[in-house]
Amino acid sequence: MSTPDDTPHEGATEVRKTTCYMCACRCGIRVYVRDGKLRYIDGNPDHPVNKGVICAKGSSGIMKQYSPARLTKPLRRKAGAERGAGEFEAISWDEAFAILEARLGRIRADDPKKFALFTGRDQMQALTGLFARQFGTPNYAAHGGFCSVNMAAGMIYTIGGSFWEFGGPDLARAKLFVMIGTAEDHHSNPLKIAISKFKRAGGRFISINPVRTGYSAIADEWVPIKPGTDGALLLAIIHELIATGLYDRDFLVRYTNAGQLVNFDGNSSEFGLMVRDAASPEVNPMYPQNKMWWDRVSNKPVASHAEGADPCLFGNYTLPDGTPVTPAFTLLEERMRDCTPEWASRITGVPAATIRRLAHEMGVTARDQKIELPIPWTDCWGREHDTVTGNPVAFHAMRGLAAHSNGFQTIRSLAILMSLLGTIDRPGGFRHKSPFPRAIPPSAKPPNSPKAVKPNTPLGGPALGWPASPDDLFIDDDGKPVRIDKAFSWDYPLSVHGLMHSVITNAWRGDPYRIDTLMIFMANMAWNSTMNTVEVRKMLNDRDETGEYKIPFLVVCDAFQSETTAFADLVLPDTTYLERHDVMSMLDRPISEFDGPVDSVRVPVLPPTGECKPFQEVLIELASRLKFPAFVNADGSRKFKDYPDFIVRFETEPNSGIGFLSGWRGENGDQFLQGAPNPKQWERYANNNCVYHYRLPASYQYMRNWNKGYMDWAQRVRMRRFNEPILIQLYSEVLQTFRLAAQGKRPGRQPPAHLRDRIARYADPLPFWYPPLELEATDLARYPLAAVTQRPMAMYHAWDSQNAWLRQIHTHNYLFVNPLTAQASGIADGGWMWIESQWGRVRCMARYSEAVEPSTVWTWNAIGKAPGAWRLAQGANESELGFLLNHLISDELPGKSAEQRISNSDPLTGQAGWYDVRVRIEPATEADEKSSPVFALMPALPGTRATTPDTLVYTAKGPSP
Ligand code: SF4
């Protein structure tokens, strides 16, 4: 065996280090290659994310590499062939680029927004976003809108950070860990490692989830809950903490806006906003610092954080000019008064006594098991602290909370609960990961006028951003959306990740307009990545009165023959993660640790298969041909040779010294975060486990929202634009600003009449619970059960349904039903059954499970497949026995009229309400023992293969490797 630096001899095994991409966790791996063939993958013990641990998916990368479903040639739909029929001819890359250059060039010169680029779970959004911006189209987003944008937005609009890539539970020091609404493998290896250590150290783990599998199965306590009701539970816990005084007052008054005074003059256009101290400097107009407290020492209004002052949290006061004011915390307390455990119990199904016990356990653990680390630090107001304090209650939550149309306010509730316990960026609680914390809201804004879109011109700002008020909405003079997905409009004002799930429907309908070309990367939009799957597939095939497809040109870039490739006009074969360079950048979603920024790369360990080309190279090539300003020299010549060259030499601004990678910058590679391009940067990463890890001094590692040393450092290295403290927003002025506009009390932009009530109701500055929107449109007597999905531990969405090893674990899915529920409907364990919503019907097999609360049924997503897709054999279990629950989920809900139909999404963020559907179940009596609906067999695409010796050699039946 040789090391990566050794010269391999014939028959020797080379070991190369790169980064896994069998899921989104980005573990370090060692890849063993002999005679040019991939032989083995294990975890890299020197990698900070997984420390050598590998999971079933990670080690099965071999079967992804040699999958028969690999696309290996650019393909063009045959002339005269129908979309969806899967009839293609292979073309050269030169032809593919010529087609794209001509078409995209024409669109860019005419109306750039007629090109839309939407991507799935890619890890290069900084590049795809840059491409869209340079093209000049606003119609760009990644998968966040249909994944977990509520988690990002709800948390970031409240505490300036979020879970997963942005921050997480500090299980090394926590005593109590509460996991809510998290899939069984979320944050896979890193979280498994952390939970294992946490439990060995005696920590107590509570899981709140309708389903007890995965992590929940090893929890000390499982609290079953009805889907979509978590917000009510969280509010009741907040109610109890306030009622019993088990909140961290010291934390609240210094680090949140709990003590800040809210204008309570109902006649004022400032009603509900924080009052400002005219005598104090504003400091930063984007984030004014001159808010006020009512000082309980002097019993007078004072500037917020005035030295020696201590704010009242309760009461009603009158300013000298007669303005009635109230501390934000009083408003929160009043809002929570009716959110009793009994109230929440009726909604959630969790007994009131359990809710009280949970609240008490959280509060007492936070109060009585404090941690003091001997780390001196200075806060943003100049106070010096000898220690960092921790209240060791940690939470982790994800899509189970997010994927509901009430998810944003639910997640605001969670962030507020965590803040009341005093756990934000403290040991044993929640900790940020660089580049977080961000300002609230972050300073990047989307364009706010259609004038930002101009022919042959980059977009006048990033396509995605963080609105702070109606002035930041991307709407025209009539208040109509500028984006095809209606993001950043009055329909979904805080849709910070866009609404990918609405793109095809909107473009098909021409609402708000028709587009010309839709480019999709790594998203299975004709199957598991879309709601309303049957209809969306029809839309992709539908023509207008002139015979033109309603979405005229569809480009699909993927590594595999998915269901979506059948509908493409042009298919671009991507490489696997083992065949390309890639960056997990500080400009995007790096792999940072709690102790400082970390970014990482992938380096190719194998050459591309066939004519596969990394999508990154496709973008660099197109950007160069189309002469985007950032990709050409002053004389119009091509600037970057290829993607690796682009990564090394691209700078965010001329000579900014900031690029995609933060490590080994500068000509000698001795600078970090900022520095001139280093031509040897890739080599430095490759020789250092593909990772650059900068450890902050201990005094900068905690309390970063308010830590002067950290803030000054982060501003110096341009990780942050400003260095003002980031106060937690228990009370959201941003939301109140939208509400004032909806109520007609704020000058300037006003929502259209039909959206006023909606904005006024949901843009509530205080958290509240409401039933998911779909329930209002559902006959709950006929459809009494909730139906949810999660991905299994052994497969990441659709990616591995073609994986020969992982298919041995799952080749089809069941609907898991509590035995009490199943028996009440006469459904046998293992029997065929129907599951029906108001939107559709699916036949599937039942599996009894006591690990699901009785009013919920669930299944794994993305195991059921369309026949022939992913190059699975005709009759494969995935298409005959497996099923897709998405057929039961609608992407739209009825509005007040046909024109006013609404997306099945959160009314503020546009997050897809995947888990809001309600269903009924009954036994299937037909003799036909196959799942339904049934789809036509997808033919094999040119360039894909039947199962070959390459694959069989790695299975028990194959010849010896
Ligand atoms: S957890 Fe994800 S990234 Fe890590 S080894 Fe498994 S599949 Fe790969």
Side-chain angles (χ1 to χ4, degrees), residues 97 616-625 627-628 630-643 645-646 649:
F97 280 126
Q616 294 97 325
E617 294 289 3
V618 173
L619 294 179
I620 302 291
E621 180 68 31
L622 285 174
S624 308
R625 288 179 182 230
K627 300 200 183 302
F628 294 172
F631 291 81
V632 291
N633 298 306
D635 63 1
S637 60
R638 182 179 181 132
K639 194 166 182 181
F640 304 109
K641 182 164 116 336
D642 54 18
Y643 176 72
D645 182 43
F646 165 79
R649 293 201 293 118

Side-chain angles (χ1 to χ4, degrees), residues 20-27 29 53-55 57-58 188-190:
C20 185
Y21 201 0
M22 293 294 284
C23 83
C25 288
R26 303 161 296 178
C27 297
I29 49 173
V53 174
I54 189 92
C55 75
K57 302 179 295 272
S188 195
N189 283 344

Side-chain angles (χ1 to χ4, degrees), residues 293-573:
W293 285 346
W294 195 276
D295 178 24
R296 66 178 188 169
V297 180
S298 61
N299 196 26
K300 284 188 183 149
V302 297
S304 176
H305 291 85
E307 191 55 41
D310 183 23
C312 293
L313 291 184
F314 294 101
N316 297 295
Y317 306 93
T318 305
L319 295 182
D321 67 2
T323 306
V325 293
T326 307
F329 194 73
T330 296
L331 300 175
L332 180 70
E333 187 275 331
E334 288 172 358
R335 170 63 59 84
M336 294 302 112
R337 238 176 249 170
D338 294 336
C339 301
T340 61
E342 285 71 19
W343 165 80
S345 181
R346 287 191 291 275
I347 296 167
T348 61
V350 180
T354 303
I355 298 173
R356 285 203 169 82
R357 179 171 52 75
L358 288 174
H360 190 259
E361 185 172 359
M362 291 176 198
V364 168
T365 306
R367 184 192 66 189
D368 295 349
Q369 300 200 46
K370 281 194 189 306
I371 299 165
E372 293 292 339
L373 300 182
I375 299 173
W377 65 287
T378 305
D379 70 31
C380 286
W381 300 276
R383 277 197 187 179
E384 300 198 344
H385 304 258
D386 296 331
T387 60
V388 169
T389 304
N391 298 351
V393 181
F395 292 80
H396 187 71
M398 204 25 77
R399 204 155 170 244
L401 263 65
H404 298 283
S405 54
N406 62 7
F408 177 78
Q409 289 287 5
T410 291
I411 288 159
R412 283 254 309 135
S413 309
L414 172 64
I416 289 168
L417 167 60
M418 290 160 58
S419 303
L420 258 61
L421 292 167
T423 63
I424 307 302
D425 211 31
R426 288 176 132 187
F430 168 87
R431 304 234 355 239
H432 292 297
K433 296 177 183 173
S434 294
F436 288 85
R438 298 275 202 215
I440 303 175
S443 53
K445 305 291 173 226
N448 64 357
S449 152
K451 293 187 187 126
V453 184
K454 296 194 191 100
N456 281 331
T457 308
L459 194 66
L464 302 172
W466 300 83
S469 78
D471 302 335
D472 298 325
L473 293 182
F474 200 4
I475 51 178
D476 65 17
D477 290 345
D478 298 326
K480 297 213 174 93
V482 178
R483 287 175 55 110
I484 188 69
D485 59 359
K486 304 190 184 181
F488 306 116
S489 71
W490 288 108
D491 297 69
Y492 317 102
L494 305 183
S495 42
V496 297
H497 289 173
L499 287 85
M500 186 163 179
H501 49 293
S502 295
V503 170
I504 292 172
T505 303
N506 291 0
W508 166 77
R509 190 178 283 132
D511 174 18
Y513 47 79
R514 296 268 301 269
I515 60 171
D516 178 280
T517 294
L518 173 59
M519 183 182 270
I520 296 174
F521 172 54
M522 250 176 90
N524 200 5
M525 298 306 291
W527 197 252
N528 56 286
S529 294
T530 198
M531 299 162 146
N532 197 15
T533 313
V534 173
E535 292 306 313
V536 164
R537 290 164 68 93
K538 288 182 192 157
M539 290 174 200
L540 289 171
N541 247 359
D542 196 19
R543 296 173 188 267
D544 65 16
E545 55 286 351
T546 69
E548 167 83 282
Y549 282 113
K550 289 191 170 173
I551 301 174
F553 200 64
L554 184 62
V555 184
V556 175
C557 183
D558 208 311
F560 303 101
Q561 178 185 315
S562 71
E563 284 84 351
T564 305
T565 49
F567 295 88
D569 296 288
L570 190 62
V571 176
L572 306 177

Side-chain angles (χ1 to χ4, degrees), residues 75-377:
L75 303 174
R76 175 170 53 196
R77 183 164 55 84
K78 279 188 180 162
E82 278 295 308
R83 274 199 192 152
E87 291 179 38
F88 290 92
E89 59 187 357
I91 58 172
S92 68
W93 274 105
D94 280 349
E95 284 175 278
F97 280 126
I99 292 168
L100 287 169
E101 184 180 353
R103 190 157 195 129
L104 298 188
R106 203 165 53 239
I107 298 170
R108 189 166 186 257
D110 172 27
D111 183 357
K113 67 179 183 299
K114 296 208 162 170
F115 169 62
L117 170 62
F118 284 83
T119 74
R121 201 20 171 130
D122 71 291
Q123 293 179 342
M124 55 164 129
Q125 291 164 34
L127 173 60
T128 48
L130 176 70
F131 182 90
R133 184 176 176 178
Q134 289 279 309
F135 186 94
T137 181
N139 292 324
Y140 160 77
H143 74 296
F146 72 60
C147 181
S148 223
V149 65
N150 271 338
M151 184 53 67
M155 295 283 280
I156 291 170
Y157 272 98
T158 307
I159 65 169
S162 187
F163 290 114
W164 184 199
E165 289 134 314
F166 314 135
D170 180 10
L171 294 184
R173 293 204 175 88
K175 304 284 187 217
L176 176 64
F177 177 40
V178 183
M179 180 182 264
I180 316 180
T182 308
E184 59 184 35
D185 77 324
H186 181 75
H187 201 9
S188 195
N189 283 344
L191 197 51
K192 286 171 197 156
I193 297 167
I195 291 177
S196 157
K197 284 188 187 158
F198 170 78
K199 288 203 69 169
R200 285 200 179 108
R204 190 167 128 75
F205 173 16
I206 299 171
S207 171
I208 302 170
N209 201 310
V211 179
R212 185 176 196 175
T213 63
Y215 299 123
S216 302
I218 58 159
D220 297 295
E221 181 177 356
W222 174 43
V223 180
I225 188 169
K226 296 174 198 273
T229 68
D230 310 82
L233 173 72
L234 295 165
L235 295 180
I237 293 173
I238 294 173
H239 166 102
E240 280 299 293
L241 291 179
I242 295 177
T244 56
L246 278 172
Y247 56 88
D248 187 334
R249 184 185 185 280
D250 292 346
F251 184 86
L252 290 182
V253 299
R254 294 298 301 176
Y255 306 123
T256 78
N257 66 1
Q260 292 188 335
L261 298 175
V262 178
N263 183 325
F264 230 60
D265 176 0
N267 296 320
S268 167
S269 63
E270 305 276 300
F271 173 75
L273 301 178
M274 302 296 182
V275 292
R276 310 275 171 86
D277 177 19
S280 299
E282 186 181 52
V283 183
N284 182 340
M286 282 182 82
Y287 306 102
Q289 298 296 304
N290 55 342
K291 312 280 175 71
M292 300 182 77
W293 285 346
W294 195 276
D295 178 24
R296 66 178 188 169
V297 180
S298 61
N299 196 26
K300 284 188 183 149
V302 297
S304 176
H305 291 85
E307 191 55 41
D310 183 23
C312 293
L313 291 184
F314 294 101
N316 297 295
Y317 306 93
T318 305
L319 295 182
D321 67 2
T323 306
V325 293
T326 307
F329 194 73
T330 296
L331 300 175
L332 180 70
E333 187 275 331
E334 288 172 358
R335 170 63 59 84
M336 294 302 112
R337 238 176 249 170
D338 294 336
C339 301
T340 61
E342 285 71 19
W343 165 80
S345 181
R346 287 191 291 275
I347 296 167
T348 61
V350 180
T354 303
I355 298 173
R356 285 203 169 82
R357 179 171 52 75
L358 288 174
H360 190 259
E361 185 172 359
M362 291 176 198
V364 168
T365 306
R367 184 192 66 189
D368 295 349
Q369 300 200 46
K370 281 194 189 306
I371 299 165
E372 293 292 339
L373 300 182
I375 299 173
W377 65 287

Side-chain angles (χ1 to χ4, degrees), residues 778-796:
T778 303
D779 176 353
L780 294 173
R782 179 164 175 77
Y783 299 107
L785 302 173
V788 298
T789 60
Q790 63 176 329
R791 60 173 185 250
M793 265 187 249
M795 288 185 181
Y796 193 72

